[in-house]
Amino acid sequence: MRIYDPLYGQFDLGPVSAALATAPEVRRLSQIRLLNSMTPTLSTLGELRRYAHTLGVLYLFSQWRQTSGSAYSNKELDALEVAIILHDIATPPFGHLFEYLLKEELGWDHESAAVDTLLQKHVSENTGHQIFAGKTPRVMRIVARLGIDINLVVEILTKRHPLHHLIFGSLDFDNIDNVWRMAWALGFSLRPAEAVLLAKSLSVDRQGNLAVSHGSLELVECWSELRRRVYEVLVFDFPTVASQAVLTQALRIAMRSSLVTNEDWTLTDESLLDRLMRGKETRKMISDEYLGVLPKPLLALQFPWQESEVFGRSRLDIQRNITQMLNKLIKANWNVYVFKERGSFSKKLNLLTDAGELHSVGALSRSLIIYIFFSGTQPKRIAKEVPQIIESISLSLNTPVESITRVYINGKRTSDNSLF
């Protein structure tokens, strides 16, 4: 099975990947966006699908297997290949956005769902539950026919085998392809060959220690910087965040009215939108705002993270409190969105080199980002109230305004300290 990919060019899938790549539970990923929403400003990235990403991860694995996989048996490497294909099959529509809501609202777990799908336990009363295109899961039959050890696959997917670090680690095949693929879609200047070299440099010993070759440390730094640049765009591109805010609000309403349940992770992006269009409360939100005119940004504030009761409150509680405060000030169609950022801009990596040296890269970024959007025309007099809004939000978080690291007003970053 030959693949044509914008990052890595032409490559052929191995026999295991080729057999599984057309299973319905895998093909469903061709209808799930890599980005967590539709967006007009990041349109190329917004149309990339997780199926292409999965194929890219398989390519990186294939290159690693040829050069650095000799420490493990073919039986283990085949199981890892299956785990790579399957680790994302339980990705719900719109990825992490819906995943986090399912976890917050219904206690759903993505990794458990992946294993349950493999074992055909994803719907307890019906092991023949259809996942994609009206077809029942085929992975089990294919894996059994190939003679691959299911127990080993499950051990990797449940993080009980050291090879799991290559797909669930801070630096792994999955996030290497993810960073380079998103950077490509954002038009960044990059060299895809560096992604391949970095993947080939990874190794995991039997104790589960991840290491990189000493000569690849510059590639790790390159990955870290490229990742930071990607997330700087994603987190502060306001049409993108506005679309996520509307979709999040609609999904919360749909889950609380049972229009959407935890079994609906098997839907595709478009079929989930169709479901939301059936709801009396959600139809207008999707048609008029999500698919129509997105809410406009008024304010975005980034606060350094604090280990406190206030910061530990749920995103929904923080959103409600700020919305109530805004409505007391000026009545409008507000949409407040909260992002608890952890490691988006930078991760702390402690890596062993092949020479046994410990090397640290980056620091863990943590912050609380609050976005305020409005629909329709901008409320009158609101510009004059912005300083008071900033102070009120800071007070509600028990945080001095001077500690705010970024302020965006009407979508533009400001460094005007006179606002405070």
Side-chain angles (χ1 to χ4, degrees), residues 342-398:
R342 180 184 173 91
S344 294
F345 303 116
S346 177
K347 286 189 175 184
K348 172 78 171 179
L349 297 181
N350 293 313
L351 299 171
L352 287 172
T353 68
D354 50 5
E357 303 167 337
L358 183 64
H359 186 80
S360 294
V361 177
L364 181 67
S365 65
R366 290 202 72 183
S367 61
L368 178 69
I369 305 174
I370 294 171
Y371 308 86
I372 299 175
F373 299 95
F374 61 89
S375 298
T377 58
Q378 180 165 311
K380 293 180 180 179
R381 307 186 315 278
I382 194 64
K384 294 180 180 179
E385 303 292 346
V386 165
Q388 181 182 339
I389 293 172
I390 295 174
E391 289 182 4
S392 297
I393 292 174
S394 299
L395 183 63
S396 72
L397 296 173
N398 295 330

Side-chain angles (χ1 to χ4, degrees), residues 47-85:
E47 289 307 314
L48 283 185
R49 305 299 168 126
R50 287 184 176 267
Y51 187 77
H53 165 58
T54 296
L55 296 178
V57 176
L58 285 171
Y59 175 73
L60 295 181
F61 161 76
S62 71
Q63 298 302 296
W64 173 86
R65 179 171 185 163
Q66 294 173 19
T67 56
S68 305
S70 58
Y72 290 89
S73 67
N74 284 332
K75 182 179 180 180
E76 289 172 304
L77 295 175
D78 286 345
L80 175 59
E81 187 170 356
V82 172
I84 287 171
I85 297 174

Side-chain angles (χ1 to χ4, degrees), residues 89-352:
I89 59 172
T91 300
F94 297 108
H96 294 309
L97 184 146
F98 190 27
E99 177 186 343
Y100 295 155
L101 285 172
L102 283 168
K103 186 173 184 178
E104 288 175 357
E105 296 284 333
L106 304 173
W108 183 83
D109 180 69
H110 163 262
E111 292 174 7
S112 296
V115 176
D116 288 346
T117 302
L118 171 66
L119 300 178
Q120 294 186 315
K121 296 178 181 178
H122 51 289
V123 178
S124 57
E125 71 277 9
N126 180 11
T127 58
H129 181 69
Q130 296 173 353
I131 285 185
F132 180 63
K135 298 176 181 177
T136 55
R138 294 180 181 174
V139 165
M140 279 288 288
R141 282 179 287 169
I142 297 171
V143 170
R145 189 175 71 239
L146 293 171
I148 293 169
D149 190 330
I150 291 290
N151 292 327
L152 268 178
V153 176
V154 172
E155 280 186 23
I156 295 170
L157 289 174
T158 54
K159 303 179 183 178
R160 292 182 288 117
H161 191 285
L163 283 174
H164 86 265
H165 290 283
L166 295 174
I167 49 176
F168 295 114
S170 297
L171 178 64
D172 57 31
F173 303 145
D174 183 90
N175 57 47
I176 291 173
D177 180 81
N178 195 50
V179 167
W180 258 271
R181 195 166 295 275
M182 289 196 296
W184 168 82
L186 292 173
F188 291 0
S189 176
L190 51 81
R191 291 186 289 273
E194 292 179 336
V196 179
L197 291 172
L198 179 56
K200 290 165 68 173
S201 77
L202 301 180
S203 62
V204 180
D205 64 22
R206 289 287 174 177
Q207 287 69 48
N209 298 308
L210 180 70
V212 297
S213 62
H214 187 274
S216 298
L217 292 177
E218 287 188 9
L219 293 175
V220 177
E221 298 277 2
C222 175
W223 168 83
S224 181
E225 174 60 16
L226 195 59
R227 186 177 181 278
R228 182 196 64 77
R229 291 176 58 203
V230 165
Y231 280 94
E232 288 280 348
V233 173
L234 300 186
V235 174
F236 295 109
D237 181 76
F238 292 100
T240 299
V241 180
S243 69
Q244 294 170 340
V246 174
L247 186 57
T248 296
Q249 186 179 4
L251 283 169
R252 281 195 193 277
I253 293 170
M255 284 189 280
R256 293 185 176 191
S257 66
S258 298
L259 177 66
V260 171
T261 71
N262 60 358
E263 293 183 7
D264 291 325
W265 69 263
T266 60
L267 297 175
T268 64
D269 288 358
E270 275 64 33
S271 59
L272 179 60
L273 289 179
D274 287 343
R275 178 74 61 81
L276 294 174
M277 289 288 284
R278 298 179 202 167
K280 185 180 295 185
E281 291 184 82
T282 55
R283 183 187 306 115
K284 188 173 179 61
M285 295 172 65
I286 297 300
S287 63
D288 291 2
E289 293 187 286
Y290 187 75
L291 299 176
V293 179
L294 289 167
K296 303 174 186 65
L298 172 69
L299 193 62
L301 305 172
Q302 183 180 24
F303 294 87
W305 185 261
Q306 295 181 18
E307 293 295 344
S308 68
E309 183 274 331
V310 176
F311 275 60
R313 287 180 299 176
S314 70
R315 294 188 300 155
L316 186 58
D317 282 346
I318 297 172
Q319 288 166 192
R320 282 173 174 164
N321 289 342
I322 295 174
T323 302
Q324 289 172 1
M325 179 267 292
L326 289 168
N327 281 325
K328 288 180 181 178
L329 194 64
I330 296 177
K331 288 285 186 180
N333 188 9
W334 299 112
N335 191 321
V336 179
Y337 188 66
V338 171
F339 175 40
K340 293 186 175 184
E341 179 269 321
R342 180 184 173 91
S344 294
F345 303 116
S346 177
K347 286 189 175 184
K348 172 78 171 179
L349 297 181
N350 293 313
L351 299 171
L352 287 172

